[in-house]
Amino acid sequence: MKNKAFAGLAALGCLLFASGAWADQPLEWQKGLQPAATSIMEEIRWFEQYTLWFIVPITLFVLLLLIIVVVKFREGANPVPSKTSHNTAIEVVWTVGPVVILLFLAIPSFQLLTKQLAPTEEPELTVKATGYQWYWGYEYQVGESPLAFDSLLLQDGDRAAAGKDDKAVYPRLLAVDNEVVVPVGKHVRLLVTAADVIHAFAMPSFGVKIDAIPGRLNETWFKADREGLFYGQCSELCGKDHAYMPIAIRVVSQEKFDSWLSAAATDLGAANKALIASVDGATKSVDVAENAAQ
């Protein structure tokens, strides 16, 4: 019995460990946010947990008040209703209480917004993302001849040629033919616009979500703390194929990024394959973060 129990615990541990290896991927019945890959997303996750300490007690308190009112002041228990029209103490409490609660929510919220909208570092790389119906176009503003390419949903028939057969790393409806490649630990400025209708660029693990509006250039930023392959999607309803314009960002070391950028200037496909080979050769498990943003 002890051996069976130990084997069962070991099997459970293996399952938990296996799921942890792909913890960045969306899981069935997942309720929380994706694991953070930037400091901004770390703060967003903290703020989400912080607000629950206010939301849950308030919800339970209101539920309790409703139950008291339904039971104590129903017609059978209270045939002659009170004629009270004013209570100074109650007026003060329900005015001051919400103001204090809102202050506790507003202060960290504004601090987080300031960090998102007003970075203190100078950008080390600028990438322009343009939303189309229904794919993304990217332009690296480096050197005298910027690198530009389109990124479309990866079709199943193209997986083998692209070296992306592993659906655990390159999931259906989220993998793309050409990922955005950025170096780890570098401040990346992202310029976002659209060519036709309103789209939205969303990368949950980075804490990035910004509208792509025709004729307007919106700006945001991110600084990835770890290497890996991260997924997002257009999060603005933009037409019939809205669900089929994913976003994929591959974060690599500075050395791998420099090699990829140099090779991509002349042959993007070959540069991508060389990068995939170098990443997959270094480790069998790729750190993946995905989203099905709504």
Side-chain angles (χ1 to χ4, degrees), residues 118-138:
T120 56
E121 300 180 42
E122 289 296 320
E124 298 168 274
L125 175 66
T126 298
V127 179
K128 180 181 178 183
T130 304
Y132 300 91
Q133 289 180 309
W134 289 269
Y135 62 95
W136 292 92
Y138 298 103

Side-chain angles (χ1 to χ4, degrees), residues 131-135 196-197 199 238-241 245:
Y132 300 91
Q133 289 180 309
W134 289 269
Y135 62 95
D196 35 48
V197 300
H199 302 276
C238 56
K240 71 179 183 67
D241 285 341
M245 53 180 303

Side-chain angles (χ1 to χ4, degrees), residues 7-44:
L9 289 174
L12 179 60
C14 290
L15 288 173
L16 292 175
F17 180 78
S19 63
W22 305 108
D24 287 348
Q25 294 191 30
L27 304 174
E28 292 187 11
W29 302 100
Q30 181 178 347
K31 297 180 179 64
L33 300 175
Q34 289 188 10
T38 65
S39 59
I40 289 293
M41 189 57 190
E42 289 281 3
E43 294 196 34
I44 292 174

Side-chain angles (χ1 to χ4, degrees), residues 198-274:
I198 298 177
H199 302 276
F201 190 99
M203 182 56 63
S205 289
F206 292 175
V208 169
K209 185 174 183 180
I210 190 167
D211 284 341
I213 302 174
R216 177 172 177 172
L217 202 61
N218 287 334
E219 180 178 334
T220 187
W221 69 280
F222 63 86
K223 184 178 180 180
D225 298 328
R226 55 189 172 88
E227 297 182 34
L229 183 55
F230 303 90
Y231 292 109
Q233 285 181 298
C234 173
S235 61
E236 183 73 38
L237 186 60
C238 56
K240 71 179 183 67
D241 285 341
H242 161 68
Y244 304 103
M245 53 180 303
I247 302 164
I249 298 180
R250 189 186 292 274
V251 182
V252 298
S253 66
Q254 184 67 53
E255 180 184 2
K256 286 186 173 66
F257 173 76
D258 292 338
S259 298
W260 173 84
L261 187 63
S262 176
T266 54
D267 191 336
L268 178 63
N272 287 339
K273 289 183 178 180

Side-chain angles (χ1 to χ4, degrees), residues 70-175:
V70 169
V71 174
K72 186 175 180 180
F73 298 103
R74 70 188 191 278
E75 184 179 1
N78 190 44
V80 181
S82 171
K83 302 295 184 181
T84 304
S85 62
H86 182 75
N87 186 299
T88 302
I90 292 178
E91 293 284 351
V92 171
V93 169
W94 73 30
T95 300
V96 175
V99 169
V100 173
I101 292 171
L102 289 175
L103 283 175
F104 275 96
L105 293 174
I107 292 173
S109 175
F110 290 150
Q111 291 175 339
L112 178 56
L113 284 172
T114 300
K115 291 181 180 180
Q116 287 180 300
L117 300 176
T120 56
E121 300 180 42
E122 289 296 320
E124 298 168 274
L125 175 66
T126 298
V127 179
K128 180 181 178 183
T130 304
Y132 300 91
Q133 289 180 309
W134 289 269
Y135 62 95
W136 292 92
Y138 298 103
E139 180 180 322
Y140 284 70
Q141 299 183 2
V142 290
E144 297 181 357
S145 55
L147 170 65
F149 58 85
D150 293 332
S151 180
L152 287 81
L153 177 71
L154 181 65
Q155 302 298 322
D156 287 341
D158 299 330
R159 284 182 174 273
K164 299 178 179 180
D165 289 312
D166 188 354
K167 290 187 178 181
V169 179
Y170 305 101
R172 180 177 175 272
L173 301 183
L174 285 175

